């Protein structure tokens, strides 16, 4: 059985192709923007064009555009290949990348770049990668006052330690090749975007309430 992993929720374009649990293809590049142009060619460059029996895609939180690009591609490929498709937590996959950093501690505090002066944040058990708290979107200043962990991980780590004036930041992006490390309760999700905060736009009906 082949399993394709896709994550485009951050500045990284991260792909992994597994066959019976063995990694047979990978791409992980921090490209900034351009996921919509680069994603399908990157998948096509994997062994056998990345064709798989199952596809798992990062559903966020993260970039509004990046999340939608990944989910749209996963759904389209699943339809064309007759494959199963589901979602997983992108911030949990960033926590798996954080676990590769040789630091002591029972907790992995992960902060991901959000919008409107906020950071997506969640705590994970350093041993099991099980979430220890709910996903939140918090103003940077508020999180700086709340989190006193000496080491922060994720794409928003440097922003947070700078606002706090102390601590060590490790830049960690979700890495698809580490998918097997994340626990089952953050996988098998519906392939629908998890933005981590309320929508910025409102319908006309909602505005008229």
């Amino acid at each position: 059985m082949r399993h394709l992993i896709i994550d485009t929720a951050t500045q990284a374009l991260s792909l992994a192709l597994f066959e019976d649990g063995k990694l047979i293809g990978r791409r992980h590049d921090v490209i900034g923007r351009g996921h919509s142009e680069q994603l399908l060619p990157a998948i096509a460059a994997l062994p056998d064009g990345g064709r798989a029996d199952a596809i798992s895609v990062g559903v966020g939180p993260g970039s509004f555009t990046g999340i939608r690009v990944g989910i749209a591609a996963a759904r389209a490929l699943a339809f064309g290949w007759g494959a199963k498709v589901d979602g997983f937590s992108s911030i949990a996959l960033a926590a798996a990348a954080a676990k590769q950093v040789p630091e002591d501690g029972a907790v992995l505090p992960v902060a991901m770049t959000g919008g409107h002066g906020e950071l997506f944040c969640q705590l994970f058990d350093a041993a099991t990668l099980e979430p220890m708290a709910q996903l939140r979107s918090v103003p940077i200043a508020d999180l700086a006052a709340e989190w006193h962990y000496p080491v922060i991980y994720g794409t928003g780590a440097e922003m947070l330690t700078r606002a706090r004036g102390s601590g060590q930041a490790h830049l960690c992006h979700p890495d698809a090749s580490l998918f097997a490390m994340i626990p089952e309760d953050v996988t098998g999700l519906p392939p629908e975007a998890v933005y981590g905060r309320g929508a910025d736009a409102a319908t006309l009906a909602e505005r008229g309430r």
Side-chain angles (χ1 to χ4, degrees):
M1 175 181 171
R2 286 194 173 181
H3 191 183
L4 175 64
I5 314 300
I6 301 171
D7 195 282
T8 53
T10 68
Q11 292 180 324
L13 191 163
S14 195
L15 304 171
L17 183 64
F18 294 89
E19 183 167 20
D20 296 328
K22 180 182 178 181
L23 182 66
I24 62 170
R26 175 182 185 262
R27 175 175 172 179
H28 182 82
D29 292 317
V30 179
I31 64 171
R33 298 182 179 182
H35 295 78
S36 59
E37 295 83 10
Q38 297 191 44
L39 177 56
L40 290 179
I43 293 173
L46 294 171
D48 296 328
R51 192 179 183 96
D53 307 291
I55 303 172
S56 293
V57 60
V59 295
S63 160
F64 180 80
T65 301
I67 294 168
R68 291 189 300 169
V69 166
I71 291 174
R75 285 176 168 171
L77 291 171
F79 179 80
W81 294 341
K84 296 180 180 179
V85 60
D86 61 16
F88 63 85
S89 166
S90 297
I91 195 170
L93 197 59
K99 192 173 180 179
Q100 308 308 300
V101 180
E103 297 284 352
D104 293 329
V107 179
L108 293 175
V110 183
M112 305 289 285
T113 306
H116 304 275
E118 297 187 359
L119 293 174
F120 301 117
C121 61
Q122 196 167 17
L123 302 175
F124 294 86
D125 185 291
T128 65
L129 294 183
E130 290 285 348
M132 299 175 64
Q134 293 296 315
L135 170 68
R136 296 183 296 151
S137 182
V138 181
I140 296 172
D142 292 352
L143 192 60
E146 177 185 340
W147 273 15
H148 302 289
Y149 301 100
V151 183
I152 307 294
Y153 306 87
T155 59
E158 184 176 353
M159 201 177 302
L160 181 58
T161 55
R162 190 186 311 122
R164 201 172 65 180
S166 65
Q168 185 177 1
H170 284 289
L171 176 63
C172 297
H173 293 86
D175 186 336
S177 68
L178 303 176
F179 179 80
M181 293 179 59
I182 63 178
E184 289 185 1
D185 56 357
V186 294
T187 65
L189 306 177
E192 301 169 356
V194 174
Y195 297 122
R197 65 189 306 273
D200 298 319
T203 65
L204 292 177
E206 289 171 333
R207 291 175 183 174
R209 289 176 184 172

